[in-house]
Amino acid sequence: MWETLNFIGTIAFAMSGVNVALEERYDLMGVYILGFITAFGGGAVRNLLIGLPVEALWDQGVLFTSAFLVMTFVFIFPRLVQWTLLRRGVFFDSIGLGTFSVQGALYAYTMGHPLSACIAAAALTGTGGGMIRDVLAGRKPLFLQKEVYIAWTIIPGIVVGLGWMTSAWELLLIVALVVTLRLCSVYYQWSLPSRLPQKI
């Protein structure tokens, strides 16, 4: 199940990175850089957080190859991914958010880390790659925007971290829930409470 989530999240985030690169009119190298950063950046941050060697990422040769092929295909045939009808590739980003947040929580849980580590791993795995992507693209990171974004990663962090839902179908259900909630937060413009700066 971990490998399945890893593959789905990697491909979804790679396509999200490509969408941003195409919108910014980057060349082919820029497309690859943003795609790889988005797909693997969150995993690198997670590994640093829970004590895994960062170089473990280089053992994922199949994922690197798959991401490379997908990014090349999208670059050559960009119109085939424009059916999402959602701005800034939020459809693929939502899939990546759901799968990687669940994967991060599951990773920390199986290593015997406490609930707090599972929540942090879910948040950083789900948003780390997208955060680095947006910074490199000169954009305001998605998780800092008004629509609810990083808060949805708390759900898999708690549910998986407490061991409530860890079977394959239960994990897929959590992924679907996070993806749906993220898309709804964009479509219906849900936002968390905020305060305006006080005048002195």
Side-chain angles (χ1 to χ4, degrees), residues 79-129:
R79 293 186 180 276
L80 293 180
V81 296
Q82 290 180 353
W83 56 271
T84 60
L85 303 178
L86 292 170
R87 61 184 177 83
R88 298 183 63 177
V90 71
F91 177 77
F92 297 116
D93 197 86
S94 298
I95 296 176
L97 179 72
T99 54
F100 270 10
S101 61
V102 171
Q103 185 225 46
L106 183 62
Y107 210 149
Y109 175 76
T110 55
M111 293 183 66
H113 290 301
L115 177 63
S116 57
C118 293
I119 295 174
L124 291 176
T125 309
T127 65

Side-chain angles (χ1 to χ4, degrees), residues 159-172:
V159 174
V160 176
L162 291 175
W164 291 346
M165 301 175 71
T166 56
S167 67
W169 72 269
E170 289 174 334
L171 295 175
L172 287 176

Side-chain angles (χ1 to χ4, degrees), residues 13 38 41-47 49-50 93 96-108 114-132 142-144 149-161 178:
F13 265 155
T38 311
V45 175
R46 176 204 62 217
N47 287 2
L49 172 72
I50 62 178
D93 197 86
L97 179 72
T99 54
F100 270 10
S101 61
V102 171
Q103 185 225 46
L106 183 62
Y107 210 149
L115 177 63
S116 57
C118 293
I119 295 174
L124 291 176
T125 309
T127 65
M131 174 182 64
I132 300 172
L142 279 176
F143 78 95
L144 294 178
Y149 186 68
I150 195 172
W152 297 131
T153 65
I154 297 176
I155 296 174
I158 293 176
V159 174
V160 176
V178 174

